[in-house]
Amino acid sequence: MSTSAATFCLLCCLALWSGAVGFSRGEKKTRTGEIHSKTSEVGWPGYLYTRAEGRCTPQYWSSGSEAWPNIVPKEAAISKVFGSRVLERYEPSLTLLDATQRNDDVGGSAFAKLVKHASAALLNAYARDGFPYDSWEVKVLLLQALVSEEAAAAQAEQFEQANLSCT
């Protein structure tokens, strides 16, 4: 068994053993206050699934687990990194770190997902050998995707897949 799989199993066992899954006397409360028994519904702790695995995801870059490439500091405004055209869709104070930390991309705007995954893709282009995009490609593709929600959603999905498949 690989080290990461063994660690995952250990965390799951510890979470279940310590009661960290939110069960109280065999019951689990949902967000709406309804109570379900342990046997009718297994409630896994959300923190195990909130962060995607891998060294290339936006969550990984925002966690501080690795130093950022010197060419793009965390505090850099996305308008300085991607160009002033991004100001059509994003606020001027948005930084690369802020973009990777966004959580409004799930069920939200395609533009939120685009900037989140494009920022991670740019970092990967600088830091990961063999990443499918060069830095200039990430910048150009983001700018091209700003034309519509559909284009932004499609490009965000491509960046997300590249980020998830990166090693």
Side-chain angles (χ1 to χ4, degrees), residues 6-150:
T7 304
F8 177 77
C9 290
L10 177 65
L11 288 174
C12 288
C13 291
L14 287 174
L16 290 172
W17 177 75
S18 69
V21 293
F23 290 118
S24 171
R25 295 183 309 273
E27 299 175 335
K28 176 186 172 216
K29 284 192 175 182
T30 64
R31 286 186 186 170
T32 59
E34 300 168 349
I35 297 177
H36 297 283
S37 72
K38 251 193 224 185
T39 57
S40 68
E41 182 180 293
V42 176
W44 293 100
Y47 62 84
L48 287 177
Y49 300 101
T50 57
R51 297 231 177 236
E53 291 184 19
R55 297 176 45 236
C56 301
T57 63
Q59 294 84 2
Y60 177 82
W61 284 110
S62 66
S63 71
S65 299
E66 181 178 338
W68 284 39
N70 290 335
I71 196 162
V72 282
K74 293 178 187 181
E75 308 82 29
I78 60 161
S79 60
K80 300 288 185 192
V81 175
F82 290 108
S84 61
R85 186 160 164 240
V86 299
L87 294 174
E88 296 172 11
R89 301 284 184 187
Y90 308 106
E91 63 271 10
S93 62
L94 183 65
T95 65
L96 280 175
L97 180 61
D98 295 337
T100 60
Q101 291 175 333
R102 291 182 84 126
N103 60 7
D104 58 350
D105 59 313
V106 178
S109 165
F111 297 109
K113 186 175 181 178
L114 175 66
V115 74
K116 178 178 183 173
H117 289 286
S119 296
L122 182 67
L123 292 166
N124 293 327
Y126 285 125
R128 307 281 184 251
D129 291 333
F131 189 71
Y133 296 104
D134 286 328
S135 58
W136 65 269
E137 288 177 297
V138 173
K139 293 176 183 183
V140 168
L141 291 170
L142 175 123
L143 293 175
Q144 289 175 343
L146 293 176
V147 296
S148 69
E149 286 268 343
E150 295 79 23

